[in-house]
């Protein structure tokens, strides 16, 4: 007999997770989610890790949904105390149809003028398209859809089984197209690319082509990661589901590993980049600039440095080559002055004097500023990738 889902409303003391700096993937500074547990129940989900799913029994994850009924109140209280930046929010699993907490949290963001980031596996997000449009007019909205295969993919049926109750990829592509038609930034979170199922050239080509065909502007790809109880759970699942896959994952994810061993992932990421270039989209998410942003140029410079870092990772650059770019990105992010003003007043020497910048990265920042002077922030969004050809 199928197990019934149990909903447990409760009132947490906090809702907003704050980070020192925005991450370099989604550009989010804050996160706030209304539920613990997920009815979609994807067998591989990283949210089964102990730090995300505080369940004594890992099998409870898709069946015991904890509902943060005071989430909108807590969000308003928290956002009133922090600077404006991107908030990752929203959870459109089936519970949202009943409780509508994600919608109420979006209303808070609209009221307080905070930009919003949503990563979703369900077309239910279209229910709140009216609010998303209003927030996008006022500040910014990015809506990403988690899609790792298509109906035409060779292993579509097997992947759908592992994704359990997740709506079909066709419904997610259609929802993405609708979001794009309203001028909202959208793309695909191609995560996780499951070894032996999603990492074939045919599947990668299909997913990226469909993204481009449905208004997606970028594809963010990442491998499967596994830790503690989530790793044990998924390996046990594969052992019962497919012995060949189980043996493959044992080889790729040895004891104490978090990601796949060897160059497997880099080869896949390079293929993703090749396919994105083929269809005219990016394999990184453009950093949004909000209305009235005083340090817009700093943020675009950090975006470039982050993109440079990712390229270096794909090129297998050693850590000692990458760390200067990572530390420089942090310094520019933390800088309270506009780098354009620093350059205007002090020239290249001023840029080089920023902590962790120095001569090499100072010249890169100079090129970014020159691009901005010629084309403005909107223009630099299109031309920033060409700066790398200078260095």
């Amino acid at each position: 007999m199928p197990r019934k889902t149990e909903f447990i409303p409760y009132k947490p003391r906090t809702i907003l997770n704050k980070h020192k700096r925005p991450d370099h993937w989604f550009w989010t500074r804050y996160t706030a989610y209304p539920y613990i547990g997920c009815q979609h129940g994807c067998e591989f989900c990283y949210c089964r890790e102990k730090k995300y799913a505080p369940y004594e029994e890992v099998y409870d994850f898709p069946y015991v949904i904890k509902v943060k009924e005071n989430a909108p109140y807590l969000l308003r209280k928290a956002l009133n105390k922090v600077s404006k930046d991107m908030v990752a929010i929203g959870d459109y699993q089936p519970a949202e149809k009943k409780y509508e907490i994600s919608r109420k949290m979006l209303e808070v963001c609209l009221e307080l003028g905070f930009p919003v980031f949503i990563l979703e596996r369900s077309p239910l997000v279209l229910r709140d398209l009216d609010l998303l449009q209003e927030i996008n007019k006022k500040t910014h909205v990015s809506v990403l859809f988690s899609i790792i295969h298509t109906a035409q993919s060779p292993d579509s049926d097997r992947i759908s089984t592992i994704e359990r109750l997740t709506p079909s990829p066709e419904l997610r592509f259609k929802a993405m197209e609708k979001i794009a038609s309203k001028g909202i930034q959208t793309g695909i979170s191609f995560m996780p690319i499951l070894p032996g199922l999603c990492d074939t050239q045919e599947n990668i080509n299909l997913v990226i082509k469909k993204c481009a065909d449905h208004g997606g502007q970028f594809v963010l790809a990442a491998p499967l990661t596994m830790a503690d109880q989530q790793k044990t759970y998924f390996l046990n699942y594969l052992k019962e589901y497919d012995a060949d896959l189980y043996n493959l994952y044992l080889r790729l994810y040895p004891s104490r590993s978090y990601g796949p061993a060897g160059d497997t992932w880099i080869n896949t990421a390079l293929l993703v980049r090749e396919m994105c270039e083929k269809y005219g989209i990016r394999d990184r998410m453009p950093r949004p600039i909000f209305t009235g942003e005083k340090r817009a140029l700093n943020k675009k410079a950090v975006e470039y440095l982050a993109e440079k870092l990712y390229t270096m990772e794909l090129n297998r650059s050693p850590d000692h080559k990458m760390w200067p770019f990572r530390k420089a990105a942090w310094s520019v992010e933390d800088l309270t002055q506009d780098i354009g003003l620093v350059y205007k007043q002090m020239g290249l020497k001023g840029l080089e004097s920023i902590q962790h910048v120095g001569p090499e990265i100072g010249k890169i920042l100079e090129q970014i500023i020159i691009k901005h002077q010629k084309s403005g922030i909107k223009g630099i969004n299109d031309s920033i990738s060409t700066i790398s050809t200078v260095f």
Side-chain angles (χ1 to χ4, degrees), residues 5-8 10 33-42 45-49 51-55 57-68 90-96:
T5 304
E6 178 184 3
F7 299 98
I8 304 177
Y10 78 111
Y33 297 114
Y35 310 105
I36 294 177
C38 179
Q39 291 165 276
H40 291 150
C42 299
C45 185
Y46 73 93
C47 288
R48 282 190 172 84
E49 290 182 33
K51 63 181 178 180
Y52 301 115
Y55 295 108
E57 177 51 71
V58 68
Y59 292 92
D60 286 345
F61 176 70
Y63 299 109
V64 180
I65 309 300
K66 298 180 180 180
V67 181
K68 303 176 185 179
D91 184 345
Y92 291 88
Q93 61 175 288
E96 176 63 17

Side-chain angles (χ1 to χ4, degrees), residues 184-293:
I184 294 172
Q185 178 173 276
T186 188
I188 283 179
S189 173
F190 198 171
M191 306 179 189
I193 296 185
L194 299 171
L197 291 172
C198 303
D199 56 352
T200 65
Q201 181 168 342
E202 184 175 359
N203 182 62
I204 291 171
N205 181 75
L206 283 166
V207 169
I208 294 175
K209 183 179 187 303
K210 284 225 171 191
C211 177
D213 289 346
H214 289 78
Q217 299 164 298
F218 54 90
V219 170
L220 292 179
L224 174 71
T225 57
M226 295 197 290
D228 53 65
Q229 63 185 24
Q230 173 231 4
K231 185 173 186 176
T232 302
Y233 173 88
F234 190 49
L235 287 176
N236 285 340
Y237 170 82
L238 290 178
K239 191 173 184 179
E240 296 294 325
Y241 178 68
D242 188 310
D244 290 337
L245 278 178
Y246 172 70
N247 290 324
L248 171 65
Y249 281 57
L250 283 182
R251 292 196 301 273
L252 290 177
Y253 295 86
S255 178
R256 298 179 185 174
S257 68
Y258 187 61
D263 287 341
T264 304
W265 166 245
I266 290 180
N267 293 334
T268 301
L270 287 170
L271 182 57
V272 169
R273 172 160 285 191
E274 179 185 336
M275 292 296 104
C276 284
E277 291 174 354
K278 176 181 177 180
Y279 293 109
I281 59 178
R282 294 176 60 177
D283 65 343
R284 301 292 288 171
M285 176 177 163
R287 186 171 191 177
I289 300 299
F290 318 131
T291 303
E293 176 58 62

Side-chain angles (χ1 to χ4, degrees), residues 72 111 124 156 159 165 182 209 278 298 327 376:
E111 176 188 333
L124 180 59
S156 179
I159 299 167
L165 297 182
K182 301 301 180 182
K209 183 179 187 303
K278 176 181 177 180
N298 297 37
K327 290 190 287 187

Side-chain angles (χ1 to χ4, degrees), residues 39-240:
Q39 291 165 276
H40 291 150
C42 299
E43 305 290 0
F44 51 75
C45 185
Y46 73 93
C47 288
R48 282 190 172 84
E49 290 182 33
K50 288 180 180 177
K51 63 181 178 180
Y52 301 115
Y55 295 108
E56 292 184 10
E57 177 51 71
V58 68
Y59 292 92
D60 286 345
F61 176 70
Y63 299 109
V64 180
I65 309 300
K66 298 180 180 180
V67 181
K68 303 176 185 179
E69 58 184 3
N70 61 338
Y73 165 78
L74 291 176
L75 183 64
R76 177 178 283 104
K77 184 178 178 181
L79 291 184
N80 272 314
K81 298 178 181 179
V82 298
S83 58
K84 279 184 185 172
D85 216 326
M86 186 90 87
V87 186
I89 206 168
D91 184 345
Y92 291 88
Q93 61 175 288
E96 176 63 17
K97 292 180 182 179
K98 176 180 180 181
Y99 293 100
E100 297 189 352
I101 298 177
S102 293
R103 182 174 179 85
K104 293 170 185 174
M105 294 173 75
L106 286 177
E107 290 172 344
V108 171
C109 291
L110 174 60
E111 176 188 333
L112 300 182
F114 272 75
V116 166
F117 170 89
I118 294 174
L119 175 57
E120 194 44 59
R121 301 177 71 82
S122 171
L124 180 59
V125 67
L126 293 178
R127 182 202 64 189
D128 297 337
L129 188 52
D130 59 331
L131 284 176
L132 297 177
Q133 288 179 267
E134 289 302 312
I135 295 171
N136 200 45
K137 289 177 185 176
K138 195 171 184 179
T139 53
H140 176 83
V141 171
S142 293
V143 179
L144 276 67
F145 287 87
S146 179
I147 303 176
I148 60 174
H149 69 116
T150 74
Q152 294 76 36
S153 297
D155 288 301
S156 179
D157 290 343
R158 298 169 76 198
I159 299 167
S160 294
T161 298
I162 295 173
E163 285 189 314
R164 289 174 50 123
L165 297 182
T166 299
S168 71
E170 289 77 16
L171 291 175
R172 284 175 269 168
F173 278 119
K174 288 179 181 178
M176 188 176 74
E177 188 170 46
K178 183 72 172 178
I179 292 286
S181 73
K182 301 301 180 182
I184 294 172
Q185 178 173 276
T186 188
I188 283 179
S189 173
F190 198 171
M191 306 179 189
I193 296 185
L194 299 171
L197 291 172
C198 303
D199 56 352
T200 65
Q201 181 168 342
E202 184 175 359
N203 182 62
I204 291 171
N205 181 75
L206 283 166
V207 169
I208 294 175
K209 183 179 187 303
K210 284 225 171 191
C211 177
D213 289 346
H214 289 78
Q217 299 164 298
F218 54 90
V219 170
L220 292 179
L224 174 71
T225 57
M226 295 197 290
D228 53 65
Q229 63 185 24
Q230 173 231 4
K231 185 173 186 176
T232 302
Y233 173 88
F234 190 49
L235 287 176
N236 285 340
Y237 170 82
L238 290 178
K239 191 173 184 179
E240 296 294 325

Side-chain angles (χ1 to χ4, degrees), residues 311-359:
T311 298
M312 293 173 78
E313 289 176 11
L314 297 188
N315 291 334
R316 301 171 175 86
S317 298
D319 285 344
H320 75 272
K321 293 279 189 180
M322 295 191 288
W323 264 107
F325 286 88
R326 186 172 288 112
K327 290 190 287 187
W330 291 340
S331 293
V332 175
E333 186 72 53
D334 296 341
L335 193 67
T336 56
Q337 295 173 285
D338 172 63
I339 59 169
L341 183 60
V342 172
Y343 183 68
K344 182 179 180 180
Q345 293 176 340
M346 302 175 64
L348 180 58
K349 290 295 183 183
L351 298 177
E352 293 174 353
S353 69
I354 298 171
Q355 187 178 25
H356 302 307
V357 170

